[in-house]
Coordinates of all heavy atoms in Angstrom, one line a residue:
V389 N 71.0 85.7 315.4 CA 70.8 86.0 316.9 C 69.3 86.1 317.2 O 68.9 85.5 318.2 CB 71.6 87.3 317.3 CG1 71.2 87.7 318.7 CG2 73.1 87.1 317.1
Q390 N 68.6 86.7 316.3 CA 67.2 86.9 316.5 C 66.5 85.5 316.5 O 65.6 85.2 317.4 CB 66.6 87.7 315.4 CG 65.1 88.1 315.6 CD 64.9 88.8 316.9 OE1 65.5 89.9 317.1 NE2 64.0 88.3 317.8
D391 N 66.9 84.6 315.7 CA 66.3 83.3 315.6 C 66.6 82.5 316.9 O 65.7 81.9 317.6 CB 66.8 82.4 314.4 CG 66.2 83.0 313.1 OD1 65.1 83.6 313.2 OD2 66.8 82.7 312.1
A392 N 67.9 82.6 317.4 CA 68.3 81.9 318.6 C 67.4 82.4 319.8 O 67.0 81.6 320.6 CB 69.7 82.1 318.8
S393 N 67.2 83.7 319.8 CA 66.5 84.3 320.9 C 65.0 83.8 320.8 O 64.4 83.4 321.8 CB 66.5 85.9 320.7 OG 65.6 86.5 321.5
D394 N 64.4 83.8 319.6 CA 63.0 83.4 319.5 C 62.9 81.9 319.9 O 61.9 81.6 320.6 CB 62.5 83.5 318.1 CG 62.4 85.0 317.7 OD1 62.4 85.9 318.6 OD2 62.3 85.3 316.5
W395 N 63.8 81.1 319.5 CA 63.7 79.7 319.8 C 63.8 79.5 321.3 O 63.0 78.7 321.9 CB 64.8 78.8 319.1 CG 64.7 78.8 317.7 CD1 63.6 78.8 316.9 CD2 65.8 78.7 316.7 NE1 63.9 78.7 315.6 CE2 65.3 78.7 315.4 CE3 67.2 78.7 316.9 CZ2 66.0 78.6 314.3 CZ3 68.0 78.6 315.7 CH2 67.4 78.6 314.4
L396 N 64.7 80.2 322.0 CA 64.9 80.0 323.4 C 63.6 80.5 324.1 O 63.2 79.8 325.1 CB 66.1 80.8 323.9 CG 66.4 80.8 325.4 CD1 66.6 79.3 325.9 CD2 67.7 81.6 325.7
I397 N 63.1 81.6 323.7 CA 62.0 82.2 324.5 C 60.7 81.3 324.3 O 60.0 81.0 325.2 CB 61.7 83.6 324.1 CG1 62.9 84.5 324.7 CG2 60.4 84.1 324.6 CD1 63.0 85.9 324.3
E398 N 60.5 80.8 323.1 CA 59.4 79.8 322.9 C 59.6 78.6 323.8 O 58.7 78.0 324.4 CB 59.3 79.4 321.4 CG 58.6 80.4 320.5 CD 58.7 80.0 319.1 OE1 58.5 78.8 318.7 OE2 59.0 80.9 318.3
H399 N 60.9 78.1 323.8 CA 61.2 76.9 324.6 C 60.9 77.2 326.1 O 60.3 76.4 326.8 CB 62.7 76.5 324.4 CG 63.1 75.5 325.4 ND1 64.4 75.5 325.9 CD2 62.5 74.4 325.8 CE1 64.5 74.4 326.7 NE2 63.4 73.7 326.7
L400 N 61.2 78.4 326.6 CA 61.0 78.7 328.0 C 59.5 78.8 328.3 O 59.1 78.3 329.3 CB 61.6 80.1 328.3 CG 63.2 80.1 328.3 CD1 63.7 81.5 328.7 CD2 63.7 79.1 329.2
H401 N 58.7 79.3 327.4 CA 57.3 79.3 327.6 C 56.7 77.9 327.8 O 55.9 77.6 328.7 CB 56.5 80.1 326.5 CG 56.7 81.6 326.7 ND1 56.4 82.3 327.8 CD2 57.2 82.5 325.8 CE1 56.6 83.6 327.7 NE2 57.1 83.8 326.5
D402 N 57.2 77.1 326.9 CA 56.8 75.7 327.0 C 57.2 75.0 328.3 O 56.5 74.3 329.0 CB 57.4 75.0 325.8 CG 56.6 73.7 325.3 OD1 55.5 73.5 325.9 OD2 57.1 73.0 324.4
H403 N 58.5 75.4 328.7 CA 59.1 74.8 329.9 C 58.3 75.3 331.1 O 57.9 74.5 332.0 CB 60.5 75.4 330.0 CG 61.3 74.8 331.1 ND1 62.1 73.7 331.0 CD2 61.4 75.3 332.4 CE1 62.7 73.5 332.2 NE2 62.3 74.4 333.0
Y404 N 57.9 76.6 331.2 CA 57.2 77.1 332.3 C 55.8 76.4 332.4 O 55.3 76.2 333.5 CB 56.9 78.6 332.2 CG 58.2 79.5 332.1 CD1 58.2 80.6 331.3 CD2 59.3 79.2 332.8 CE1 59.3 81.5 331.2 CE2 60.4 80.1 332.7 CZ 60.4 81.2 331.9 OH 61.5 82.0 331.8
S405 N 55.2 76.2 331.2 CA 53.9 75.6 331.3 C 53.9 74.1 331.8 O 53.0 73.7 332.4 CB 53.1 75.8 330.0 OG 53.7 75.1 329.0
L406 N 55.0 73.5 331.5 CA 55.1 72.1 332.1 C 55.4 72.1 333.6 O 54.8 71.3 334.3 CB 56.2 71.3 331.3 CG 56.5 69.9 331.8 CD1 55.3 69.0 331.5 CD2 57.7 69.2 331.1
Y407 N 56.3 73.0 334.0 CA 56.7 72.9 335.4 C 56.0 73.8 336.4 O 56.1 73.7 337.6 CB 58.2 73.2 335.5 CG 59.1 72.1 334.9 CD1 59.5 72.2 333.6 CD2 59.4 70.9 335.6 CE1 60.3 71.2 332.9 CE2 60.1 69.9 335.0 CZ 60.6 70.1 333.7 OH 61.3 69.1 333.1
G408 N 55.3 74.8 335.8 CA 54.6 75.8 336.7 C 55.6 76.9 336.9 O 56.8 76.8 336.6
A409 N 55.1 78.1 337.4 CA 55.9 79.3 337.5 C 57.2 79.2 338.3 O 58.3 79.5 337.8 CB 55.0 80.5 337.9
L410 N 57.0 78.7 339.5 CA 58.2 78.7 340.4 C 59.3 77.7 340.0 O 60.4 78.0 339.8 CB 57.7 78.5 341.9 CG 58.8 78.6 342.9 CD1 59.4 80.0 342.9 CD2 58.3 78.2 344.3
A411 N 58.8 76.4 339.9 CA 59.8 75.4 339.5 C 60.3 75.6 338.1 O 61.5 75.4 337.8 CB 59.1 74.0 339.6
G412 N 59.4 76.1 337.3 CA 59.8 76.4 335.9 C 60.9 77.5 335.8 O 61.9 77.4 335.1
M413 N 60.7 78.5 336.6 CA 61.6 79.7 336.6 C 63.0 79.2 337.0 O 64.0 79.5 336.5 CB 61.1 80.7 337.5 CG 61.9 82.0 337.7 SD 63.1 81.7 339.1 CE 62.0 81.6 340.5
R414 N 63.0 78.3 338.1 CA 64.3 77.8 338.6 C 65.0 76.9 337.6 O 66.2 77.0 337.3 CB 64.1 77.1 339.9 CG 63.8 78.1 341.0 CD 63.7 77.5 342.4 NE 63.4 78.5 343.4 CZ 62.7 78.3 344.4 NH1 62.2 77.1 344.7 NH2 62.5 79.3 345.3
S415 N 64.2 75.9 337.1 CA 64.8 74.9 336.2 C 65.2 75.5 334.8 O 66.0 74.9 334.1 CB 64.0 73.7 336.1 OG 62.7 74.0 335.7
A416 N 64.5 76.6 334.5 CA 64.9 77.3 333.2 C 66.3 77.9 333.2 O 66.9 78.1 332.2 CB 63.9 78.4 332.9
R417 N 66.8 78.2 334.5 CA 68.1 78.9 334.6 C 69.2 78.1 333.8 O 70.1 78.7 333.2 CB 68.5 79.1 336.0 CG 67.6 80.2 336.7 CD 67.9 80.3 338.1 NE 67.2 81.3 338.8 CZ 66.9 81.4 340.1 NH1 67.3 80.4 340.9 NH2 66.2 82.4 340.6
K418 N 69.1 76.8 334.0 CA 70.2 76.0 333.3 C 70.2 76.1 331.8 O 71.2 76.3 331.2 CB 70.2 74.5 333.8 CG 69.0 73.7 333.4 CD 69.2 72.3 333.9 CE 67.9 71.5 333.6 NZ 67.0 71.5 334.7
H419 N 68.9 76.1 331.3 CA 68.8 76.2 329.8 C 69.3 77.6 329.3 O 70.0 77.7 328.3 CB 67.4 76.0 329.4 CG 66.9 74.6 329.5 ND1 67.3 73.6 328.6 CD2 66.1 74.0 330.4 CE1 66.8 72.4 329.0 NE2 66.1 72.6 330.1
I420 N 69.0 78.6 330.1 CA 69.4 80.0 329.8 C 70.9 80.1 329.9 O 71.6 80.6 329.0 CB 68.7 81.0 330.7 CG1 67.2 81.0 330.5 CG2 69.2 82.5 330.3 CD1 66.4 81.8 331.5
G421 N 71.4 79.5 330.9 CA 72.9 79.6 331.1 C 73.6 78.9 330.0 O 74.6 79.4 329.5
W422 N 73.1 77.7 329.5 CA 73.7 77.1 328.4 C 73.6 77.9 327.1 O 74.5 78.0 326.3 CB 73.1 75.7 328.1 CG 73.4 74.7 329.2 CD1 74.6 74.5 329.9 CD2 72.5 73.7 329.7 NE1 74.4 73.5 330.7 CE2 73.2 72.9 330.6 CE3 71.2 73.3 329.3 CZ2 72.7 71.8 331.3 CZ3 70.6 72.2 330.0 CH2 71.4 71.5 331.0
A423 N 72.5 78.6 327.0 CA 72.2 79.3 325.7 C 73.2 80.5 325.6 O 73.6 80.9 324.5 CB 70.8 79.8 325.7
V424 N 73.6 81.1 326.7 CA 74.4 82.3 326.6 C 75.9 82.0 326.9 O 76.8 82.8 326.8 CB 74.0 83.4 327.6 CG1 72.5 83.8 327.3 CG2 74.2 83.0 329.1
R425 N 76.2 80.7 327.2 CA 77.5 80.3 327.5 C 78.5 80.5 326.3 O 78.2 80.2 325.2 CB 77.5 78.8 327.8 CG 78.7 78.2 328.3 CD 78.5 76.8 328.9 NE 79.7 76.2 329.3 CZ 80.3 75.2 328.6 NH1 79.8 74.7 327.5 NH2 81.5 74.7 329.0
G426 N 79.6 81.2 326.6 CA 80.6 81.4 325.6 C 80.3 82.6 324.7 O 81.1 83.0 323.8

Side-chain angles (χ1 to χ4, degrees):
V389 172
Q390 186 60 55
D391 289 337
S393 168
D394 291 346
W395 293 328
L396 177 59
I397 289 169
E398 279 173 47
H399 173 219
L400 291 182
H401 284 304
D402 206 6
H403 185 92
Y404 301 143
S405 62
L406 179 64
Y407 292 96
L410 184 62
M413 177 272 295
R414 289 187 179 145
S415 54
R417 287 176 178 156
K418 62 178 176 271
H419 290 284
I420 300 172
W422 290 325
V424 302
R425 187 168 175 255

